[in-house]
Amino acid sequence: MQTTNVVDENIKKIGEMFPNCLTETLDENGRPQTAIDFDQLRQELSKNIVEGPEERYQFTWPDKRNAIRLANAPTTDTLRPCREESVDFDNTQNLYIEGDNLEVLKLLRQNYLGKVKMIYIDPPYNTGNDFVYNDDFDQDSEYYKHNSGQFDELGNRLVTNTESNGRFHTDWLNMIYPRLKVAKDLLSDDGVIFISIDENEIQNMRKITDEIFGANNFISQLGWQKVYSPKNQARFFSNDYEFVLCYCRTIDKFSINMLPRTEAMNSRYKNPDNDPRGDWKAGDCVGNGVRSQGYYDVVSPKTGKVFNVPQGKHWVYAKDNMLKMIEDNRIWFGKDGNSFPAVKQFLSDVTGRRPSSLLMYEDYGHTDMAKKDLIKLFKDLEKVPFDTPKPVKLIKMLSIIGCNDGDIILDFFSGSATTAQSIMELNSEQDGRRKFILVQMPEKIEDNPGALAIGLKTISDVGKERIRRAGKKIKEESPLTTKNLDTGFRVLKLDSSNMNDVFYTPEAFTEHDLFEDNIKGDRTDEDLLFQTMIELGIELSAKIEKKSIAGKTVWSVSDGYLMACFDKDVNETAIKEIAKIQPFYFVMRDASMATDNVADNFEQIWSEYSKDTVRRIL
């Protein structure tokens, strides 16, 4: 019960491309394992080999190899559902996941490989006091405690990355690199990622994203105007903007969406000649430079006045096309027919506006607006329970640009859950069905008695409460148009595997161990169900129903695609009734079978009633 070992998958892929590079070696226990013959692989790629001290372009830092290893290493962790903290658990398509986002991303890779259309993240900015995730788990316990700045509720370590730290950039790079590397696998071929970042690490972030996503998939380095007035107290320049990096998964498959037009833009279109095609504005018919087919006389049909382009210019339309456009009343010569010709650009032909790389605060919000977004929801608190939120408007606009209705949006540094509110508001405005997946480490809140008094002890508590309040507010303000709006979310929490360690050496194995339950005693049937869904690659937002069949509780996922029974004393009658439904997957506990006869007849029952069902025993 662990995620795919990415190294094994990569060895398999190389073996498929270069089978002569496969070999065998012995692991640390003396057992044979498949490996890559790198000398042979070098011969396959021998056009230009760069190795050893020879100079080459590269971006590296201490522990980069370990960062790559962390991204590729499998995890035995699982996600446990938490109904009591969820909203509309059984029907919602949205997920809120608590835990270290690296481990969570590895688990999501099982279920959402290539399914996420847009990722937005606002990671720690490495400003000298931000907490970063420390992924070095190889230290002894005393050093681990001594070096720790803070623990989350699960015992994961958070470290304050001060500027005096000799590994100031290194620790930040080791934190962000493996998370982005795993996240790339979740993006669809036409997917896009937006990364908010400031000037402290922008140069390193560009190098990392070029390496992970490919420099050819770079779209733009956007500038977000985060304040609406300069700060005179600044030492040098007033820092008025931050960056938003934009990369796509595959440049040939990605297309950007147009933004809605503003009233000010549309007001520039008029209809002075009552053209039945509607409002229009005049556009230029002349281009710079000389073109052999672009120099000819144009005659006004109303007055007969002749026009030609100035020296060094050309008409942008070929002569035949220009004549057709004049005939179709698409060329404007002014009310009196004596003005220089212009092309009519009709408002009805304009579908939107091309996004600009400069994200002005009027369209995308600013930091003050971000705080006001929170204040509106937490009026009962003297101080907002999160210090550096992003404005709802920013993520809403990026979502319009980067994804479409029905798509999945992932934010694995979700903070105060601005992304969730943005998606719900956008769905409300467009009657949309976009879905969000948010991931957040439960970092403790400091210096906010008001938040603590209402049970908001961690940032993830703030995020969940914000979604609850924002969803309620949206529905109260638009009760008619939000009737079918999904404002719920299914809470999942990262935890260790549901399975006990059942590996024994032969000399330590006893007859009693043969009948020992391999599932931890504190785990519920629904815990087992979700670990099964992860292993089988079923989306964690899938519809779940609890049914009674032959007196036993049976879980049905996605209308019977997966059926699972974890009750005790499951007899042949129950198995037969489940088999008649013919699910694609069926899962049950080994300890659930009532008798040895049930175990003996298990395969025969399924072969008779649903031989194609994939059966698994925990």
Side-chain angles (χ1 to χ4, degrees), residues 443-469:
E443 302 173 35
K444 291 181 180 179
I445 294 176
E446 303 291 345
D447 191 30
N448 196 323
L452 295 174
I454 61 173
L456 305 182
K457 299 178 181 179
T458 65
I459 292 176
S460 52
D461 289 338
V462 173
K464 287 175 286 188
E465 183 62 17
R466 178 178 191 168
I467 304 173
R468 295 185 194 103
R469 296 188 181 200

mmCIF file of all heavy atoms in Angstrom, residues 443-469:
data_model
loop_
_atom_site.group_PDB
_atom_site.id
_atom_site.type_symbol
_atom_site.label_atom_id
_atom_site.label_comp_id
_atom_site.label_asym_id
_atom_site.label_seq_id
_atom_site.Cartn_x
_atom_site.Cartn_y
_atom_site.Cartn_z
ATOM 1 N N GLU A 443 0.037 24.766 9.934
ATOM 2 C CA GLU A 443 0.961 25.591 10.722
ATOM 3 C C GLU A 443 0.188 26.340 11.807
ATOM 4 O O GLU A 443 -0.915 26.827 11.576
ATOM 5 C CB GLU A 443 1.671 26.598 9.820
ATOM 6 C CG GLU A 443 2.451 25.975 8.684
ATOM 7 C CD GLU A 443 2.988 27.034 7.735
ATOM 8 O OE1 GLU A 443 3.355 28.125 8.219
ATOM 9 O OE2 GLU A 443 3.018 26.775 6.523
ATOM 10 N N LYS A 444 0.780 26.462 12.955
ATOM 11 C CA LYS A 444 0.111 27.109 14.082
ATOM 12 C C LYS A 444 0.004 28.610 13.869
ATOM 13 O O LYS A 444 0.890 29.241 13.306
ATOM 14 C CB LYS A 444 0.872 26.819 15.378
ATOM 15 C CG LYS A 444 0.794 25.366 15.822
ATOM 16 C CD LYS A 444 1.554 25.155 17.116
ATOM 17 C CE LYS A 444 1.489 23.692 17.563
ATOM 18 N NZ LYS A 444 2.251 23.465 18.803
ATOM 19 N N ILE A 445 -1.108 29.173 14.340
ATOM 20 C CA ILE A 445 -1.331 30.620 14.309
ATOM 21 C C ILE A 445 -0.772 31.222 15.591
ATOM 22 O O ILE A 445 -1.004 30.707 16.683
ATOM 23 C CB ILE A 445 -2.832 30.945 14.190
ATOM 24 C CG1 ILE A 445 -3.367 30.485 12.832
ATOM 25 C CG2 ILE A 445 -3.080 32.424 14.369
ATOM 26 C CD1 ILE A 445 -4.852 30.687 12.683
ATOM 27 N N GLU A 446 -0.048 32.297 15.431
ATOM 28 C CA GLU A 446 0.525 32.969 16.591
ATOM 29 C C GLU A 446 -0.127 34.345 16.782
ATOM 30 O O GLU A 446 -0.557 34.987 15.820
ATOM 31 C CB GLU A 446 2.040 33.160 16.393
ATOM 32 C CG GLU A 446 2.799 31.863 16.139
ATOM 33 C CD GLU A 446 2.864 30.959 17.361
ATOM 34 O OE1 GLU A 446 2.578 31.448 18.470
ATOM 35 O OE2 GLU A 446 3.216 29.777 17.192
ATOM 36 N N ASP A 447 -0.208 34.806 18.009
ATOM 37 C CA ASP A 447 -0.614 36.178 18.340
ATOM 38 C C ASP A 447 -1.966 36.556 17.747
ATOM 39 O O ASP A 447 -2.115 37.608 17.123
ATOM 40 C CB ASP A 447 0.473 37.155 17.850
ATOM 41 C CG ASP A 447 0.240 38.562 18.388
ATOM 42 O OD1 ASP A 447 -0.320 38.680 19.498
ATOM 43 O OD2 ASP A 447 0.600 39.529 17.694
ATOM 44 N N ASN A 448 -2.951 35.710 17.945
ATOM 45 C CA ASN A 448 -4.310 36.059 17.503
ATOM 46 C C ASN A 448 -5.311 35.399 18.448
ATOM 47 O O ASN A 448 -5.911 34.372 18.118
ATOM 48 C CB ASN A 448 -4.556 35.618 16.061
ATOM 49 C CG ASN A 448 -5.777 36.284 15.446
ATOM 50 O OD1 ASN A 448 -6.781 36.509 16.120
ATOM 51 N ND2 ASN A 448 -5.700 36.601 14.161
ATOM 52 N N PRO A 449 -5.510 35.974 19.631
ATOM 53 C CA PRO A 449 -6.421 35.381 20.627
ATOM 54 C C PRO A 449 -7.842 35.209 20.102
ATOM 55 O O PRO A 449 -8.521 34.249 20.458
ATOM 56 C CB PRO A 449 -6.374 36.389 21.788
ATOM 57 C CG PRO A 449 -5.099 37.137 21.607
ATOM 58 C CD PRO A 449 -4.878 37.214 20.133
ATOM 59 N N GLY A 450 -8.291 36.157 19.263
ATOM 60 C CA GLY A 450 -9.643 36.065 18.727
ATOM 61 C C GLY A 450 -9.838 34.827 17.883
ATOM 62 O O GLY A 450 -10.854 34.132 17.993
ATOM 63 N N ALA A 451 -8.857 34.537 17.032
ATOM 64 C CA ALA A 451 -8.940 33.344 16.187
ATOM 65 C C ALA A 451 -8.890 32.079 17.036
ATOM 66 O O ALA A 451 -9.659 31.136 16.815
ATOM 67 C CB ALA A 451 -7.805 33.350 15.165
ATOM 68 N N LEU A 452 -8.000 32.064 18.012
ATOM 69 C CA LEU A 452 -7.899 30.895 18.892
ATOM 70 C C LEU A 452 -9.194 30.670 19.658
ATOM 71 O O LEU A 452 -9.598 29.529 19.903
ATOM 72 C CB LEU A 452 -6.735 31.083 19.866
ATOM 73 C CG LEU A 452 -5.329 31.142 19.242
ATOM 74 C CD1 LEU A 452 -4.285 31.479 20.307
ATOM 75 C CD2 LEU A 452 -4.986 29.814 18.575
ATOM 76 N N ALA A 453 -9.874 31.764 20.026
ATOM 77 C CA ALA A 453 -11.106 31.660 20.815
ATOM 78 C C ALA A 453 -12.231 30.980 20.034
ATOM 79 O O ALA A 453 -13.115 30.362 20.632
ATOM 80 C CB ALA A 453 -11.547 33.053 21.266
ATOM 81 N N ILE A 454 -12.200 31.085 18.712
ATOM 82 C CA ILE A 454 -13.251 30.432 17.911
ATOM 83 C C ILE A 454 -12.737 29.147 17.259
ATOM 84 O O ILE A 454 -13.316 28.653 16.290
ATOM 85 C CB ILE A 454 -13.828 31.386 16.844
ATOM 86 C CG1 ILE A 454 -12.744 31.831 15.861
ATOM 87 C CG2 ILE A 454 -14.484 32.582 17.491
ATOM 88 C CD1 ILE A 454 -13.301 32.636 14.678
ATOM 89 N N GLY A 455 -11.623 28.625 17.775
ATOM 90 C CA GLY A 455 -11.131 27.323 17.342
ATOM 91 C C GLY A 455 -10.216 27.328 16.140
ATOM 92 O O GLY A 455 -9.918 26.275 15.581
ATOM 93 N N LEU A 456 -9.726 28.513 15.741
ATOM 94 C CA LEU A 456 -8.822 28.585 14.594
ATOM 95 C C LEU A 456 -7.384 28.546 15.102
ATOM 96 O O LEU A 456 -6.766 29.576 15.345
ATOM 97 C CB LEU A 456 -9.083 29.862 13.789
ATOM 98 C CG LEU A 456 -10.518 30.080 13.301
ATOM 99 C CD1 LEU A 456 -10.621 31.358 12.488
ATOM 100 C CD2 LEU A 456 -11.014 28.885 12.501
ATOM 101 N N LYS A 457 -6.868 27.329 15.261
ATOM 102 C CA LYS A 457 -5.545 27.153 15.841
ATOM 103 C C LYS A 457 -4.445 27.089 14.790
ATOM 104 O O LYS A 457 -3.290 27.334 15.091
ATOM 105 C CB LYS A 457 -5.519 25.881 16.686
ATOM 106 C CG LYS A 457 -6.509 25.896 17.845
ATOM 107 C CD LYS A 457 -6.467 24.578 18.611
ATOM 108 C CE LYS A 457 -7.469 24.572 19.754
ATOM 109 N NZ LYS A 457 -7.463 23.285 20.491
ATOM 110 N N THR A 458 -4.801 26.729 13.577
ATOM 111 C CA THR A 458 -3.817 26.573 12.517
ATOM 112 C C THR A 458 -4.285 27.299 11.258
ATOM 113 O O THR A 458 -5.456 27.675 11.129
ATOM 114 C CB THR A 458 -3.601 25.090 12.161
ATOM 115 O OG1 THR A 458 -4.824 24.562 11.596
ATOM 116 C CG2 THR A 458 -3.223 24.275 13.394
ATOM 117 N N ILE A 459 -3.362 27.457 10.306
ATOM 118 C CA ILE A 459 -3.706 28.100 9.040
ATOM 119 C C ILE A 459 -4.743 27.267 8.286
ATOM 120 O O ILE A 459 -5.637 27.811 7.627
ATOM 121 C CB ILE A 459 -2.444 28.311 8.185
ATOM 122 C CG1 ILE A 459 -1.550 29.355 8.846
ATOM 123 C CG2 ILE A 459 -2.801 28.749 6.768
ATOM 124 C CD1 ILE A 459 -0.232 29.578 8.138
ATOM 125 N N SER A 460 -4.638 25.956 8.389
ATOM 126 C CA SER A 460 -5.642 25.115 7.717
ATOM 127 C C SER A 460 -7.016 25.298 8.350
ATOM 128 O O SER A 460 -8.042 25.235 7.649
ATOM 129 C CB SER A 460 -5.220 23.637 7.743
ATOM 130 O OG SER A 460 -4.912 23.213 9.051
ATOM 131 N N ASP A 461 -7.076 25.538 9.656
ATOM 132 C CA ASP A 461 -8.370 25.861 10.294
ATOM 133 C C ASP A 461 -8.956 27.145 9.690
ATOM 134 O O ASP A 461 -10.154 27.231 9.428
ATOM 135 C CB ASP A 461 -8.194 26.056 11.803
ATOM 136 C CG ASP A 461 -7.917 24.754 12.535
ATOM 137 O OD1 ASP A 461 -8.268 23.690 11.992
ATOM 138 O OD2 ASP A 461 -7.349 24.810 13.643
ATOM 139 N N VAL A 462 -8.086 28.126 9.478
ATOM 140 C CA VAL A 462 -8.528 29.387 8.863
ATOM 141 C C VAL A 462 -9.053 29.130 7.460
ATOM 142 O O VAL A 462 -10.104 29.649 7.058
ATOM 143 C CB VAL A 462 -7.367 30.405 8.819
ATOM 144 C CG1 VAL A 462 -7.774 31.646 8.027
ATOM 145 C CG2 VAL A 462 -6.944 30.786 10.221
ATOM 146 N N GLY A 463 -8.321 28.332 6.690
ATOM 147 C CA GLY A 463 -8.738 28.041 5.325
ATOM 148 C C GLY A 463 -10.100 27.387 5.255
ATOM 149 O O GLY A 463 -10.972 27.787 4.467
ATOM 150 N N LYS A 464 -10.320 26.381 6.104
ATOM 151 C CA LYS A 464 -11.620 25.691 6.104
ATOM 152 C C LYS A 464 -12.746 26.632 6.523
ATOM 153 O O LYS A 464 -13.834 26.622 5.921
ATOM 154 C CB LYS A 464 -11.551 24.474 7.026
ATOM 155 C CG LYS A 464 -10.727 23.324 6.468
ATOM 156 C CD LYS A 464 -10.585 22.182 7.461
ATOM 157 C CE LYS A 464 -9.635 22.508 8.579
ATOM 158 N NZ LYS A 464 -9.325 21.360 9.445
ATOM 159 N N GLU A 465 -12.483 27.454 7.541
ATOM 160 C CA GLU A 465 -13.523 28.376 8.009
ATOM 161 C C GLU A 465 -13.815 29.433 6.950
ATOM 162 O O GLU A 465 -14.963 29.846 6.778
ATOM 163 C CB GLU A 465 -13.085 29.024 9.319
ATOM 164 C CG GLU A 465 -14.123 29.945 9.946
ATOM 165 C CD GLU A 465 -15.415 29.247 10.339
ATOM 166 O OE1 GLU A 465 -15.433 27.997 10.435
ATOM 167 O OE2 GLU A 465 -16.418 29.958 10.558
ATOM 168 N N ARG A 466 -12.784 29.864 6.240
ATOM 169 C CA ARG A 466 -13.008 30.849 5.181
ATOM 170 C C ARG A 466 -13.914 30.271 4.089
ATOM 171 O O ARG A 466 -14.804 30.955 3.594
ATOM 172 C CB ARG A 466 -11.676 31.273 4.566
ATOM 173 C CG ARG A 466 -11.878 32.265 3.418
ATOM 174 C CD ARG A 466 -10.583 32.739 2.804
ATOM 175 N NE ARG A 466 -10.818 33.857 1.904
ATOM 176 C CZ ARG A 466 -9.863 34.623 1.400
ATOM 177 N NH1 ARG A 466 -8.603 34.402 1.714
ATOM 178 N NH2 ARG A 466 -10.160 35.616 0.579
ATOM 179 N N ILE A 467 -13.676 29.041 3.698
ATOM 180 C CA ILE A 467 -14.510 28.427 2.654
ATOM 181 C C ILE A 467 -15.959 28.322 3.123
ATOM 182 O O ILE A 467 -16.895 28.606 2.367
ATOM 183 C CB ILE A 467 -13.968 27.040 2.257
ATOM 184 C CG1 ILE A 467 -12.500 27.138 1.810
ATOM 185 C CG2 ILE A 467 -14.804 26.446 1.121
ATOM 186 C CD1 ILE A 467 -11.840 25.794 1.569
ATOM 187 N N ARG A 468 -16.143 27.932 4.386
ATOM 188 C CA ARG A 468 -17.504 27.834 4.918
ATOM 189 C C ARG A 468 -18.205 29.195 4.860
ATOM 190 O O ARG A 468 -19.349 29.313 4.397
ATOM 191 C CB ARG A 468 -17.474 27.333 6.362
ATOM 192 C CG ARG A 468 -16.955 25.916 6.541
ATOM 193 C CD ARG A 468 -17.074 25.470 7.993
ATOM 194 N NE ARG A 468 -16.291 24.264 8.249
ATOM 195 C CZ ARG A 468 -15.114 24.236 8.879
ATOM 196 N NH1 ARG A 468 -14.603 25.365 9.349
ATOM 197 N NH2 ARG A 468 -14.473 23.109 9.071
ATOM 198 N N ARG A 469 -17.512 30.220 5.349
ATOM 199 C CA ARG A 469 -18.124 31.547 5.408
ATOM 200 C C ARG A 469 -18.319 32.143 4.020
ATOM 201 O O ARG A 469 -19.343 32.781 3.746
ATOM 202 C CB ARG A 469 -17.258 32.480 6.270
ATOM 203 C CG ARG A 469 -17.184 32.042 7.730
ATOM 204 C CD ARG A 469 -16.487 33.086 8.583
ATOM 205 N NE ARG A 469 -16.387 32.669 9.980
ATOM 206 C CZ ARG A 469 -16.175 33.503 10.993
ATOM 207 N NH1 ARG A 469 -16.046 34.803 10.776
ATOM 208 N NH2 ARG A 469 -16.093 33.047 12.233
#
